[in-house]
Amino acid sequence: MNTLRVYNTLSKTKEPLETVRPGNVGIYLCGPTVYKEAHIGHMVGPVIFDAIKRYLTYCGYDVTWVVNITDIDDKIIEQSRQRNLPMAQIAEEMTQDYLKNLASFGVDQIDHMPRATETMGEIVAFIQDLIDKGFAYESAGDVFFDVTRDSDYGKLSNRSADSQQGEGGGAAAKKRSPGDFALWKSAKAGEPSWESPWGAGRPGWHIECSAMSRNLLGETFDIHGGGLDLVFPHHENEIAQSECRHGKPMAKYWMHNGLMRASTAAGKVGGRGDRDGEEQATTDTKISRSKGAGGLASLVERQGGERLRFFLLRTHYRSTIVFSEEAVAEAGAGLDTFYRFFERYERLTGERFYDLQPIARRSEGEIDAGDDPLLGQVNEHRDSFLSKMDDDFNTGAAMSDLFELVRTLNKHAQTIEDAGSPNADQLVTFTRGVLTLRELSAIFGLFRQPPATSAKAESELAGKLLDLLVELRTFARSKKDFAMADKIRDGLTSLGVTLEDRKDGTQWRIE
RNA sequence: GGCGCCGUACCCAAAUGGCUAAGGGAGCGGAUUGCAAAUCCGCGAUUACCGGUUCGAGUCCGGUCGGCGCCUCCA
């Protein structure tokens, strides 16, 4: 098994992946608080970890991936008031929205999605044990974690416990130290609540993750992930709770993805932008739900889930991604290279790329190339791709090998086409090379099915009309009536239809 | 104020201190084409700036300038 290296926020270095149990990997990713629709930024973690799980599985690990749903929270209660609906209904609605978005982005590798409301027994037991062990205390119906009892506190985010101000407001008066955080919050009148030894209330924000990860992955598991913004206080407090209770490390590797920002045109009210020409002021602002980002469903409708997924995987997961639809469209131009190649593959072999069964295991993908130049090159691209994935899942770098692989295959396709009648040996080698493209792109979760064309609505009738126009143009060309042929083509171009004249006929494509 | 990140070509973006600084998009040449499209080939970088360490620096250290994150809810 190859050595995988993983960047660990705890040590601030890349470390070799050595799992708790050989051959197994447990991953816990902090999921959403379901109080409003998800935005594109919420998809970064799920997409990268989806690719990570695919890669680990491909490398032979048995992976268990948990993503929690936080369905109790002050913000959900607030929404529930504003919309005059029960908290559970809001949570359920937004959970469904989240699941729908995951599906659009091709995230289907999650094994467990526990909810806080379904983990209440374990949460209460967890808190009680912390009290019994002297790490937590009750104060007027609330329970707080006592950060002064945890000598390690702050090790993840590099902060000292006594420098923390903590949340203010009414809770502050009940705390022993300002940095103490709530494990259990007593319910005010009218708030949803659960029974506990400390009275009716609800869990604090961090405790559910400690309880759920312990339940599903054990006291020490392999990888804990989340957005960079969760390092403090959320993950710091999870560590405090879990490690004080268990007396052992919570997770071996802490992986944090970079946050997304939105590129928005800044004001420039008054509309005189001509003086400095193209210089347009833009600011990158944080994407947050409170600032009204959203419309993920319509974004998916416009761009397609695969483009968005590709856009996210283009950049290293720890980097900031600046979001704009222009950038997504640009990424899409790169994706089109693959789609066109798949059509070419189908023309040459009569087989659909999407019907190729991807090679599912790394140990089975190596090609015995012999002295075949094509397969030798394919192997090189594959090795390069895998070595980049081995180095902290560098999808952005590995992407280049996908492009180089498709270029190599395009060249081979060209020689086959130029030869006129394809010979069987060439096709066999070609198909074997294409199978490697299938294998590697499957690690990214790409090209699992043909891109949806619904948005472009190429109805049956439109297709037939296009076929008819192409036929008329072919007739004109055969008569050397290029003026007519070009008129038809230009007209179609202006409608967003591109024509390609090939030896074997003309093909149309809706851009 | 405390902790931390980033600055690579027109745009996006990769690069354990070591060969000509990946790849994509846009653009410009060329092959191909009736002309296009697609594909292939080719073209493009004082790595923000200044200094230091080193045989060797995009990478390490110090400084300057610029952008950003966390410290309160965040993926």
Side-chain angles (χ1 to χ4, degrees), chain A residues 209-367:
Chain A
C209 289
S210 285
M212 291 170 175
S213 63
R214 172 195 155 100
N215 268 359
L216 293 162
L217 298 171
E219 296 185 351
T220 298
F221 55 95
D222 299 296
I223 296 173
H224 192 130
L228 256 174
D229 52 344
L230 295 184
V231 173
F232 188 91
H234 186 53
H235 289 166
E236 195 69 73
N237 291 349
E238 283 186 48
I239 290 179
Q241 296 159 352
S242 290
E243 301 197 350
C244 283
R245 181 181 183 193
H246 301 134
K248 56 179 77 161
M250 181 184 192
K252 294 192 70 171
Y253 308 94
W254 289 81
M255 295 178 64
H256 292 98
N257 60 267
L259 303 181
M260 182 173 273
R261 284 183 292 149
S263 176
T264 52
K268 280 252 172 187
V269 188
R272 67 156 178 214
D274 47 356
R275 179 66 65 87
D276 288 330
E278 59 280 275
E279 182 172 319
Q280 186 191 14
T282 58
T283 352
D284 299 338
T285 56
K286 184 178 172 180
I287 293 187
S288 75
R289 293 192 261 204
S290 56
K291 286 177 184 164
L296 191 46
S298 67
L299 178 65
V300 170
E301 176 107 3
R302 283 194 299 279
Q303 300 287 352
E306 184 150 71
R307 264 191 185 201
L308 292 162
R309 183 181 176 102
F310 185 81
F311 170 71
L312 298 182
L313 291 173
R314 219 167 48 134
T315 307
H316 185 91
Y317 76 87
R318 278 189 279 116
S319 304
T320 302
I321 301 176
V322 179
F323 174 83
S324 69
E325 288 212 46
E326 292 71 28
V328 174
E330 185 191 302
L335 253 193
D336 289 341
T337 301
F338 293 93
Y339 295 145
R340 286 189 215 106
F341 175 75
F342 300 155
E343 290 170 10
R344 192 174 198 177
Y345 171 74
E346 189 169 341
R347 278 199 308 278
L348 274 170
T349 65
E351 304 286 331
R352 287 194 348 150
F353 178 83
Y354 297 96
D355 291 337
L356 284 172
Q357 184 64 35
I359 295 168
R361 287 292 179 274
R362 182 173 191 157
S363 52
E364 295 161 11
E366 180 83 16
I367 303 175

Side-chain angles (χ1 to χ4, degrees), chain A residues 3 64 126 166 212 224 302 378 402 460:
Chain A
T3 307
T64 306
F126 205 110
M212 291 170 175
H224 192 130
R302 283 194 299 279
V378 169
L402 247 32
E460 196 180 343

Side-chain angles (χ1 to χ4, degrees), chain A residues 5 43 55 92 100 104 112 129 185 188-189 194 217 359 374 395 408 460 466:
Chain A
R5 299 167 71 234
M43 294 294 120
Y55 189 61
E92 182 56 28
K100 198 182 77 188
S104 309
H112 303 284
D129 200 20
K185 298 176 171 182
K188 299 188 189 78
W194 286 258
L217 298 171
I359 295 168
L374 173 71
T395 56
T408 298
E460 196 180 343
L466 283 168

